Amino acid sequence: MTRLRGLYAITAPELTPGKELLTACAQALAGGARLLQYRDKQASPALRLARARQLRELTHAHNALFLINDDPALALACQADGVHLGQGDTPLSEAREMLGAEAIIGITCHASLALAEQAMAEGADYVAFGRFFHSYTKPGAPAATVELLQQARSAIALPRVAIGGVNADNAPALINAGADMLAVVHALFGAQDIHAAARQLAELF
Ligand SMILES: Cc1ncc(COP(=O)(O)OP(=O)(O)O)c(N)n1
Ligand SMILES: Cc1ncsc1CCOP(=O)(O)O
Ligand SMILES: [Mg+2]
């Protein structure tokens, strides 16, 4: 079974305040998330390192992949499996040099096949398109269409992530259009029952 497939949970510490972050992530992983990304735009560097180390242990216990958003140095420090980079983040080549050939590096491509082709040529391990729907987490992210995902299926020979407003109702259309992973924040960590929400999304794969 390929490693880069399934539910990709992305943290939102503001939705799970204080020490509940670890519990919330444990519920998402127990519900079937195969990848977890630590995304935290607010905590101090020291708190981010402490949280990343805890989440690293937790993902090991669930045999899930662990990626860090934005920050290859933090990924290195906590021995994450990789990093997710946006177009304005550290260049892929620099992150690859820091983390090595085995690291998983994912790249945001918004709604652009050209960006995905570039990421592929530069050695990315997956590409991410979106946002596909209204996103509570990042409402201003550039919009992508399901048709783009269908085009990417034949044009981009890398695992493809769909992100942005993904929930259990709209997820099947994204999987049918060629999404290998569904990256979810609000429909997961904003749910009353995180475990049930994760299971519902994970069972679609
Ligand atoms: C899986 C995945 N896809 C896209 C993003 C967005 O990354 P980026 O464009 O760098 O935006 P921020 O997340 O940093 O606000 C992501 N984090 N993960
Ligand atoms: C980080 C990011 N990039 C594009 S949309 C998005 C947020 C996804 O969160 P949600 O699942 O709550 O829409
Ligand atoms: Mg980023």
Side-chain angles (χ1 to χ4, degrees):
M1 194 174 92
T2 172
R3 298 189 306 163
L4 297 178
R5 184 163 173 83
L7 175 60
Y8 187 169
I10 301 185
T11 65
E14 62 279 10
L15 290 177
T16 52
K19 46 186 187 294
E20 290 169 32
L21 174 66
L22 205 63
T23 310
C25 291
Q27 290 166 347
L29 291 162
R34 300 306 308 136
L35 305 94
L36 178 74
Q37 179 188 126
Y38 176 46
R39 180 177 185 271
D40 185 349
K41 303 278 185 180
Q42 281 161 13
S44 67
L47 181 54
R48 279 161 43 84
L49 178 59
R51 284 174 167 173
R53 285 187 168 144
Q54 286 181 317
L55 294 174
R56 169 69 288 186
E57 272 188 37
L58 184 69
T59 46
H60 271 321
H62 287 270
N63 197 25
L65 292 172
F66 182 50
L67 283 88
I68 300 289
N69 187 44
D70 290 345
D71 189 345
L74 180 58
L76 194 60
C78 73
Q79 298 182 295
D81 295 299
V83 68
H84 183 90
L85 300 173
Q87 290 297 322
D89 297 325
T90 305
L92 199 161
S93 57
E94 203 177 306
R96 179 66 72 198
E97 199 152 312
M98 291 172 72
L99 299 177
E102 298 303 312
I104 298 167
I105 302 184
I107 301 290
T108 294
C109 299
H110 303 300
S112 168
L113 290 179
L115 287 177
E117 276 161 8
Q118 186 186 334
M120 190 163 57
E122 290 177 1
D125 296 283
Y126 71 78
V127 292
F129 297 105
R131 66 181 169 88
F132 284 93
F133 305 101
H134 170 72
S135 171
Y136 289 102
T137 307
K138 199 160 181 175
T145 62
V146 172
E147 290 70 34
L148 170 93
L149 206 47
Q150 286 165 339
Q151 290 166 8
R153 175 158 47 190
S154 45
I156 307 298
L158 280 180
R160 295 164 300 272
V161 175
I163 189 170
V166 179
N167 59 41
D169 293 332
N170 59 37
L174 297 171
I175 296 173
N176 288 339
D180 299 291
M181 291 166 274
L182 295 178
V184 185
V185 180
H186 196 269
L188 200 51
F189 291 112
Q192 283 278 6
D193 184 338
I194 295 170
H195 181 271
R199 196 164 54 188
Q200 207 182 355
L201 285 157
E203 278 175 353
L204 297 170
F205 288 91

